[in-house]
Each structure stands twice: as C-alpha cells, then as structure tokens.
Amino acid sequence: MAQLFFKYGSMNSGKSIEILKVAHNYEEQNKPVLLFTSAIDDRDAVGYVSSRIGLRREAIPISDTTDIYGIVKDHQPKPYCVLVDECQFLSKDSILQLVRIVDELNVPVMGFGLKNDFRNELFEGSRWMLIYADKIEEMKTICWFCERKAIMNLRVIDGKPVYAGEQILIGGNDTYFPVCRKCHTNPPLS
C-alpha cells in the first residue's frame, strides 16, 4: 500500500541530495520515478533539483496551477514513486493532490522540505504535509555555530540576523544558516 512520506530538515540537512539518491536507486532497478520541485525555487534555474555538493537533475516545476495528479495519472509508464523537493513552498491544493496520488493511484509520494521558516513559523506546504503524511522523518544536521542539532533556519542580511519580513526569500548559504534554538535567539555573528 502506497504512503505519503514527509522528510524535513533545516537548511543543509541533505534533503536535495537524498531525493536525488532515492531517484537514482529506483531508476537503477529500472523503476521509473517522477521528480517534481517548486517553481518558486529558482536558485539553479526553475525546474531543477540541485544539491550543494554539485549534483543536479531536471524536475517538473510545480506552481499553484500545476495539475500534479493529472501528470502522474497520465504518465506512461506508471511511476513507481513520486518525489517532490521544496514541499514547503507548495499550496494546500498541491499537497491534497499528492494525497490523491497516494490514495487513488496507489503511488508512493516522498516529499522533502523545510518545516519552519526563519521566523519559526510553519510554511503552508509543510503544515499540510505534517497533517497528511503517513510517515514523517527529520533529516538532521548540526548548528552552523555550535555542536547542537540544527532545528531552525537563521536569515542573515548584511551580516545581521533578520527575524521579520516576507516568509519566502530564496537563498542559500549567503542568506540562511542552519542553527539550534540557542544560536537562533542569540547568534554569534561578528
């Protein structure tokens, strides 16, 4: 029986490399997958899953009008798994389409993304993944500044921590640090 999986972690926890590894493992066994990513993430061009270690792969971009369910339903051959990167940026409707893929098409869906933003509020997509996922797994990494587990994302602009503003600002190591709760509250920035 197919299930909906949500694998979340802070920045730099290896989410994108994990999704690329899962795709490779399926395809190495001649089991096709469909790879999706949010159309909002344009760090390495829209429609690509890119890892910080240099691996990248084309993916179907998801916007608010994308018929994810229809794409999966009509795809031949039927995919063995649907993989979705940057789930945090998806709408409730997109998450409900992933649920339908699992429940109606009996295709497992693995979603990867951040749980909380730099203000420590849930992203819309993450909220609905946490509600609907059959299995939830935290991907761990360490704090940028100390040895504790990173559970938050610190936004930094011009070397200063930022705790207010628009929820979505696409960026990498130049804008965000994975941090523990203590370093989020009081980051040791110079």
Side-chain angles (χ1 to χ4, degrees):
M1 173 165 275
Q3 293 186 318
L4 177 63
F5 297 86
F6 182 40
K7 295 188 175 196
Y8 72 89
S10 64
M11 300 287 288
N12 287 336
S13 61
K15 297 177 299 296
S16 296
I17 192 68
E18 179 70 14
I19 198 170
L20 294 171
K21 181 182 89 173
V22 170
H24 172 77
N25 288 344
Y26 270 98
E27 292 170 341
E28 192 170 46
Q29 299 174 28
N30 294 314
K31 297 174 180 174
V33 299
L34 279 176
L35 187 60
F36 291 87
T37 190
S38 168
I40 292 174
D41 187 358
D42 60 0
R43 284 175 291 176
D44 189 28
V46 173
Y48 282 89
V49 173
S50 298
S51 161
R52 283 181 175 76
I53 65 170
L55 297 177
R56 76 190 289 255
R57 178 168 166 178
E58 196 167 357
I60 301 166
I62 298 172
S63 69
D64 287 341
T65 60
T66 303
D67 182 8
I68 309 164
Y69 179 85
I71 292 169
V72 174
K73 182 176 182 252
D74 296 339
H75 191 270
Q76 291 300 322
K78 178 181 175 181
Y80 277 76
C81 187
V82 170
L83 304 167
V84 185
D85 201 21
E86 306 292 353
C87 277
Q88 73 271 11
F89 297 140
L90 301 185
S91 67
K92 178 182 180 182
D93 179 66
S94 293
I95 301 302
L96 292 175
Q97 289 185 61
L98 300 179
V99 170
R100 285 184 64 210
I101 290 165
V102 171
D103 294 346
E104 296 174 22
L105 302 179
N106 197 34
V107 174
V109 173
M110 296 178 74
F112 296 77
L114 300 171
K115 180 181 67 165
N116 43 306
D117 66 15
F118 73 104
R119 302 171 298 187
N120 289 317
E121 296 177 12
L122 292 174
F123 284 96
E124 179 181 3
S126 302
R127 176 177 184 243
W128 295 108
M129 285 296 285
L130 288 166
I131 289 170
Y132 284 104
D134 297 297
K135 295 202 174 169
I136 299 168
E137 180 183 327
E138 180 184 22
M139 298 184 68
K140 299 173 179 82
T141 193
I142 58 171
C143 178
W144 194 266
F145 302 109
C146 73
E147 71 283 351
R148 293 180 191 90
K149 181 174 82 167
I151 59 170
M152 299 177 178
N153 303 295
L154 178 67
R155 182 183 285 175
V156 176
I157 297 180
D158 296 327
K160 299 191 182 327
V162 177
Y163 299 100
E166 291 294 319
Q167 183 179 50
I168 297 173
L169 172 66
I170 303 300
N173 291 343
D174 58 330
T175 311
Y176 293 99
F177 296 118
V179 293
C180 67
R181 182 178 51 247
K182 181 178 178 182
C183 290
H184 187 273
T185 304
N186 190 19
L189 294 169
S190 37

